[in-house]
Amino acid sequence: MKTLQFSSYPISVPQHGGQLRVAAMKKSLSDAGIEAASIAVFDAVHYRDCLPTDFPIPDGNFAYYIKDHPWDLMLSAVINNDPDRRAKFVESLTEQNADVYIFEQPWLWPLVREVVKTNPELKRPVVFSSQNIEFDLLREILRKASGGILTDHDNWLLEYTYQLEKELCEKADLVVACTKSDLDFFSAQFKVKRGAVFPNGINPPTVVSDGVAEQYAKRYAGQKLAGFVGSAHPPNAEGFEKLCGENLGYLPPGDRIAVIGGVCDLIYNRSRENLFVALNDSRCDYLGRVSQEDLDAVLARCDVIMLPILTGGGSNLKTAEALVSGKTILSTSLAFRGYDKFRNFPTVNIADDPREWRAKLRDLLAADRLPALSAEQKEQTKSLLWENILRGYPKSVMEVIRGA
Amino acid sequence: MIYMDMTSCLDYIGRNPLGIVRVEMNFVQWALRNKKASEITFCYYDRGLGRISYLAFSDAQGVLNQIGRPAGAVAAAAVQPSSPSVQEPGVPSHSAFRALAKRGYCGLRATFRNCPRMQRVLFRAECFFKRLRGESVNSAPMPLEPPQAESLADPFVVNWTTDDIFVTVGLIWDYLPLEKIYARKAEQGFKVVGMIYDLVPYKVPEYCLGVPPSFFKSVVDLIWCADEILTISKLTKQDVEEFVSKYQLPHPTIVDVSYLGMDVGVLQDGYVPDRAELDVSMLRPGKFVLQVGTMEPRKNHALTLTAWRLMAKEGFPELMPLVVVGAQAWGVGDVLEMAKRDRCLSPKYFVHSNRVSDQTLLWLYKNCFMTVYPSFYEGWGLPISESLVHGKFCLTGDNGALVEAGAGYAEHLSPFDVMGWARRLKELMQHPEEVESKNARIRAEYKGLSWAASSAAFFGLVDQLQEVRS
């Protein structure tokens, strides 16, 4: 049996949440003895590493499409409207000769649909592996960008995205969602034949070498440390800024917040205009993008892990990482969506109000001792690992193949 | 024991002191006269060594004597070290002048502590200068290896106890490592008293340019460290409490007001300002209005100059000249330039000087009709107190601290109301008897706060902290 995944980013070196999910799903299939292939179509500016089967699009080719359309929506058109690329894509599908097509996000569905029209021998059963309700997410992005007033063009984009998700949900033999609420939405809005929920998971923490561990132990010697990890997704920075506030003086001298990941650039650059910039810099350590080993070392050193998520759909991988770490967590309710069974763990603290958030953060860092997970609770967190979450996924895919 | 921080005084040896430095100077002076060596020790933060160092009483007086004097005079009058009786054990006493030189050298040693090559260069330089001075060269071996990890331990160590109070009132954002004070306090339990003069950069940031980046860090860290925060006005106390509440900072045990004193000079008989300094030939005694203060947007010279231009253009017959004394800081260039170019206003009705001597300022206060001070926001409003102590009525702005400084003897108008100011100024100039009546009342009743009284009250508030804990 062979599967072929389509994605809008490469997964050869997975870093952000979407890449990690697609890579984990591919691995779970191959671990189950299924031959798993993938094709990514993406702009080569944002991603350098890719597989030989991928289609990196040089930046110049996007110029026309980006002018009026968000690039995700145009991925199919970039390939379909270029005869050479289309021919190569058809050749690739033919070579792969998969038994099922798995669409990670809906963007490449129009391309495959058009290819199958002219090459019906390439028709296969379909799995729609959703990562978000794209129409909802796009609406949020467009509203924020336009100050709440949507243009006719914005509405056209939303309608297009909605119809795309509708079509794929109804064509797919299986719709996979990250959360139950996402699947409930699809089931209520569209005629979904069969659905399954496979939440986001994480890989177990890497083994941190003594040298790296000691490096961070020295860096934060004698300090209480809170950690915040996020990608350069503007809502990540906005959540941090709104909850932690413009003035970090509620933390005593010596307490620090380690900011890690792409979100660091956003927070650091935006904070330069802040009246309290020097004060906040004394309370923050902007680590930026670090290796996985360094990330795991910092998180291991943290006293508290923060999840200041205020917007967005799907479930949050960072929540899973925080739970598996066993560390004390300060989180919003939204960040725990999809992880409700863990909300009552002694290490979990929920705060949605900014003042409450800051008071809790200070109190948690000031505490001499913080609650720990019991052995049973630690075992429960293992259910968040990809290997456990995706245990049923290969079987679901095989059922689609067999049912075809 | 009270440990009084006088780092700002040391920093201003040979320089004209800022207002805040004068505060520290006056408190130290009072302590030297009224406290015993067994009650108070003077200290400073040694940037080069990265630690608190100590001064003997006589050294402290020597430091005060050098502030405001030219640098050459400082070198000639270097203070001799005195007995180590009040020194921290094992900590050498330094003369103030030597301390300055050593700080620079130690700063270099600390900066390059991980660089063996630089350590050798500095060591050779030290030996060379010692030989020049005829001193014996240290026979310790030249450093060849990087210092061991243990010697890189934080040198910021203080042996203070729960009975001790660290007092700091200077320009702390320039030097004081409050995070280290906080850590040591957590270990040793001593108390801390600090001064917050104002939160102008927080209340009206639009009027603040060139605020030291570390200002808010030092304010917040001081609030974390301090058991007692003293402010110079009720308004500043209110601002501090608002700041603490808004940003969820810990509330110090005591937040109280400690009013500052004033220097009151004596005008020499027959003194007349030199023409090169300020041309007063066009000014008649009692027939000009004085505005004193640094020229920057917050002080609102735009309002007074606009009001004067208005009155001048109207041809107001009783118009008196406006004399503005104050260094031009920022943001007033256009307004000043326009005033100078306005032929209705200058030079007949507008005189400006960046800086005048103390005697000339006294002459101006003595001979002016009244003063004006339309500031948008102040932590106190020293020009108002100065005006009152010289027996002159002041028309000023109406924000809280200005009303406090006015003490019921000044008059307050909105700093946004140019027309209102012009109207009131015309009334006062048309009825000089009203102003003279106010001036007479001020002369009879107003008593400025002396530095002696201010310092006594300050140390009284410091002492109350010992009672709270013990």
Side-chain angles (χ1 to χ4, degrees):
Chain A
M1 280 190 198
K2 185 169 182 179
T3 62
L4 180 57
Q5 281 168 291
F6 297 101
S7 64
S8 57
Y9 30 69
I11 58 171
S12 52
V13 182
Q15 289 187 308
H16 66 63
Q19 289 175 303
L20 289 164
R21 180 178 173 87
V22 175
M25 288 179 133
K26 185 179 182 185
K27 184 173 181 298
S28 79
L29 293 168
S30 58
D31 286 349
I34 299 170
E35 192 182 346
S38 63
I39 292 176
V41 179
F42 59 93
D43 75 284
V45 171
H46 288 109
Y47 303 100
R48 299 284 178 198
D49 301 295
C50 65
L51 297 170
T53 49
D54 291 339
F55 285 74
I57 309 296
D59 174 49
N61 293 145
F62 272 93
Y64 174 78
Y65 299 101
I66 285 177
K67 191 178 167 212
D68 288 316
H69 303 282
W71 65 273
D72 280 7
L73 274 66
M74 288 299 109
L75 285 173
S76 286
V78 169
I79 304 289
N80 197 52
N81 295 359
D82 182 318
D84 286 338
R85 286 199 183 112
R86 192 182 195 279
K88 275 200 179 123
F89 188 78
V90 170
E91 188 185 321
S92 192
L93 286 196
T94 309
E95 262 177 42
Q96 295 292 348
N97 193 24
D99 295 298
V100 64
Y101 296 148
I102 302 174
F103 291 89
E104 305 290 347
Q105 298 174 318
W107 312 119
L108 292 172
W109 162 250
L111 170 62
V112 173
R113 181 191 63 206
E114 294 309 305
V115 163
V116 166
K117 274 183 190 166
T118 53
N119 301 83
E121 73 282 5
L122 294 174
K123 184 175 183 206
R124 298 289 186 274
V126 166
V127 173
F128 173 30
S129 181
S130 149
Q131 295 190 4
N132 272 301
I133 301 172
E134 299 296 340
F135 146 81
D136 251 359
L137 190 61
L138 182 61
R139 182 172 48 193
E140 217 173 289
I141 291 170
L142 289 171
R143 272 199 182 141
K144 261 209 178 104
S146 65
I149 301 168
L150 299 181
T151 62
D152 287 345
H153 179 67
D154 292 336
N155 288 321
W156 179 87
L157 288 171
L158 286 170
E159 181 62 25
Y160 176 87
T161 307
Y162 180 85
Q163 293 300 331
L164 179 59
E165 279 185 302
K166 177 176 191 294
E167 184 181 324
L168 190 47
C169 276
E170 291 177 356
K171 288 281 190 232
D173 299 281
L174 173 69
V175 174
V176 170
C178 285
T179 64
K180 187 173 177 307
S181 64
D182 284 3
L183 185 62
D184 288 347
F185 173 86
F186 288 136
S187 303
Q189 293 281 320
F190 314 129
K191 297 186 184 72
V192 170
K193 292 178 200 146
R194 191 155 75 92
V197 176
F198 292 101
N200 282 324
I202 57 167
N203 293 314
T206 54
V207 174
V208 177
S209 65
D210 288 345
V212 172
E214 197 186 321
Q215 175 193 332
Y216 287 103
K218 258 192 192 157
R219 188 184 182 102
Y220 301 117
Q223 293 177 331
K224 290 296 189 85
L225 185 68
F228 170 49
V229 186
S231 62
H233 185 46
N236 289 339
E238 284 152 20
F240 176 89
E241 286 158 0
K242 187 164 179 199
L243 289 170
C244 292
E246 61 171 345
N247 179 328
L248 299 179
Y250 53 88
L251 297 177
D255 281 11
R256 305 293 288 276
I257 298 175
V259 184
I260 311 145
V263 72
C264 201
D265 296 337
L266 294 175
I267 293 172
Y268 180 83
N269 290 333
R270 280 148 63 144
S271 69
R272 299 304 94 193
E273 298 303 317
N274 187 321
L275 200 57
F276 309 111
V277 57
L279 164 65
N280 293 345
D281 283 353
S282 75
R283 302 302 200 258
C284 274
D285 193 11
Y286 299 101
L287 291 172
R289 292 176 177 83
V290 298
S291 68
Q292 189 62 47
E293 187 184 5
D294 279 47
L295 172 60
D296 288 336
V298 175
L299 292 178
R301 171 57 188 82
C302 283
D303 299 283
V304 176
I305 294 177
M306 299 200 297
L307 301 168
I309 307 301
L310 290 173
T311 56
S315 64
N316 188 22
L317 278 177
K318 300 292 171 240
T319 308
E321 282 170 359
L323 283 164
V324 167
S325 75
K327 293 283 180 176
T328 297
I329 297 169
L330 177 59
S331 172
T332 58
S333 311
L334 192 73
F336 260 76
R337 188 169 62 191
Y339 300 98
D340 301 284
K341 66 179 181 185
F342 301 101
R343 276 184 77 134
N344 292 326
F345 272 23
T347 53
V348 175
N349 301 270
I350 303 288
D352 295 311
D353 171 73
R355 284 186 77 88
E356 196 190 333
W357 177 280
R358 293 160 208 166
K360 265 209 158 73
L361 178 60
R362 180 170 65 201
D363 292 345
L364 289 170
L365 290 173
D368 290 328
R369 277 192 66 194
L370 291 166
L373 295 178
S374 65
E376 193 192 320
Q377 287 165 337
K378 277 187 195 160
E379 199 54 38
Q380 282 181 48
T381 64
K382 285 187 183 161
S383 66
L384 298 170
L385 298 175
W386 282 121
E387 64 199 50
N388 294 318
I389 283 177
L390 294 175
R391 217 178 276 281
Y393 177 66
K395 182 168 171 251
S396 300
V397 171
M398 284 195 284
E399 282 169 4
V400 168
I401 296 172
R402 288 191 192 113
Chain B
M1 176 67 74
I2 293 172
Y3 290 93
M4 177 90 198
D5 174 21
M6 53 184 296
T7 310
S8 292
C9 287
L10 275 149
D11 284 347
Y12 273 78
I13 290 176
R15 297 161 67 185
N16 277 319
L18 299 178
I20 289 178
V21 181
R22 285 180 191 272
V23 173
E24 186 175 285
M25 284 168 65
N26 280 286
F27 287 165
V28 168
Q29 188 67 78
W30 187 91
L32 283 166
R33 289 173 185 154
N34 296 279
K35 292 276 187 193
K36 300 187 196 111
S38 56
E39 294 174 300
I40 190 164
T41 299
F42 300 102
C43 60
Y44 63 96
Y45 178 65
D46 189 322
R47 294 172 181 84
L49 296 175
R51 66 167 191 225
I52 297 284
S53 293
Y54 300 87
L55 292 169
F57 256 55
S58 54
D59 280 357
Q61 185 63 62
V63 168
L64 295 185
N65 294 344
Q66 304 310 316
I67 293 173
R69 294 179 61 180
V74 169
V79 177
Q80 299 304 313
S82 65
S83 82
S85 58
V86 294
Q87 300 309 311
E88 189 84 338
V91 175
S93 166
H94 299 295
S95 74
F97 181 70
R98 276 185 154 202
L100 277 173
K102 189 154 182 150
R103 263 194 279 165
Y105 172 70
C106 291
L108 282 172
R109 291 293 298 266
T111 302
F112 293 107
R113 60 178 178 256
N114 280 330
C115 178
R117 186 188 259 181
M118 274 308 295
Q119 291 288 326
R120 286 196 287 278
V121 167
L122 290 168
F123 183 79
R124 285 200 189 96
E126 185 181 358
C127 294
F128 174 74
F129 284 111
K130 277 187 171 173
R131 286 195 198 96
L132 268 186
R133 290 195 298 268
E135 295 172 19
S136 65
V137 172
N138 191 329
S139 59
M142 183 186 299
L144 291 173
E145 300 298 327
Q148 296 305 309
E150 296 81 68
S151 69
L152 295 178
D154 190 354
F156 194 93
V157 172
V158 292
N159 294 317
W160 299 341
T161 71
T162 53
D163 293 327
D164 298 325
I165 303 178
F166 175 66
V167 178
T168 182
V169 301
L171 302 162
I172 58 173
W173 48 86
D174 276 349
Y175 63 89
L176 196 58
L178 286 156
E179 65 280 358
K180 296 191 181 186
I181 302 247
Y182 181 77
R184 296 296 167 270
K185 183 182 165 173
E187 292 160 10
Q188 291 157 343
F190 55 85
K191 304 170 201 74
V192 176
V193 176
M195 189 82 126
I196 294 180
Y197 294 85
D198 65 65
L199 286 176
V200 168
Y202 156 64
K203 293 296 293 189
V204 285
E206 64 272 25
Y207 293 123
C208 296
L209 191 74
V211 175
S214 53
F215 174 78
F216 282 112
K217 178 183 179 303
S218 69
V219 166
V220 167
D221 286 354
L222 181 65
I223 289 172
W224 272 100
C225 289
D227 298 272
E228 184 172 15
I229 292 280
L230 297 176
T231 66
I232 64 170
S233 66
K234 288 188 187 119
L235 176 81
T236 302
K237 180 181 176 214
Q238 195 181 301
D239 288 349
V240 168
E241 284 170 343
E242 176 196 308
F243 188 79
V244 162
S245 171
K246 180 173 177 181
Y247 294 115
Q248 296 174 264
L249 307 184
H251 197 287
T253 307
I254 301 171
V255 180
D256 215 333
V257 181
S258 180
Y259 292 106
L260 300 181
M262 290 178 51
D263 297 316
V264 183
V266 175
L267 183 63
Q268 294 161 11
D269 284 339
Y271 177 86
V272 175
D274 188 90
R275 196 161 179 164
E277 185 187 25
L278 182 72
D279 185 1
V280 298
S281 58
M282 310 249 307
L283 302 177
R284 289 182 290 151
K287 296 289 183 191
F288 64 89
V289 177
L290 179 63
Q291 182 174 3
V292 177
T294 308
M295 295 192 77
E296 54 171 287
R298 182 164 57 92
K299 308 294 181 174
N300 205 7
H301 291 80
L303 179 138
T304 38
L305 290 171
T306 304
W308 249 262
R309 289 178 68 209
L310 208 67
M311 293 187 282
K313 285 191 189 319
E314 281 175 359
F316 174 56
E318 285 91 358
L319 183 61
M320 298 180 191
L322 172 68
V323 177
V324 172
V325 172
Q328 193 178 338
W330 70 281
V332 294
D334 290 348
V335 166
L336 195 52
E337 184 62 24
M338 220 166 8
K340 286 177 179 169
R341 285 165 169 268
D342 187 338
R343 282 176 290 182
C344 287
L345 190 63
S346 293
K348 190 175 175 191
Y349 294 114
F350 175 57
V351 177
H352 169 242
S353 176
N354 272 311
R355 185 177 161 76
V356 299
S357 63
D358 289 347
Q359 284 292 300
T360 297
L361 189 58
L362 284 172
W363 186 96
L364 287 167
Y365 272 122
K366 184 187 171 193
N367 289 285
C368 72
F369 175 62
M370 58 176 275
T371 66
V372 288
Y373 193 64
S375 174
F376 284 108
Y377 202 89
E378 295 286 341
W380 174 246
L382 185 58
I384 304 172
S385 311
E386 280 188 344
S387 177
L388 296 176
V389 90
H390 289 100
K392 292 298 159 86
F393 165 72
C394 182
L395 183 65
T396 177
D398 62 356
N399 91 54
L402 297 176
V403 173
E404 215 176 326
Y409 295 98
E411 196 174 309
H412 303 276
L413 295 177
S414 165
F416 294 97
D417 186 8
V418 175
M419 302 305 289
W421 274 73
R423 233 181 347 262
R424 187 60 182 137
L425 283 162
K426 280 198 279 191
E427 282 169 6
L428 292 168
M429 290 186 212
Q430 279 172 331
H431 299 281
E433 68 283 358
E434 184 185 345
V435 172
E436 184 39 48
S437 164
K438 289 178 190 294
N439 289 344
R441 180 177 161 240
I442 291 166
R443 284 193 297 270
E445 295 175 15
Y446 182 80
K447 299 281 180 281
L449 188 65
S450 68
W451 273 114
S454 165
S455 304
F458 173 81
F459 280 99
L461 290 166
V462 170
D463 289 339
Q464 79 176 349
L465 189 60
Q466 283 185 320
E467 287 150 28
V468 166
R469 281 285 192 103
S470 51

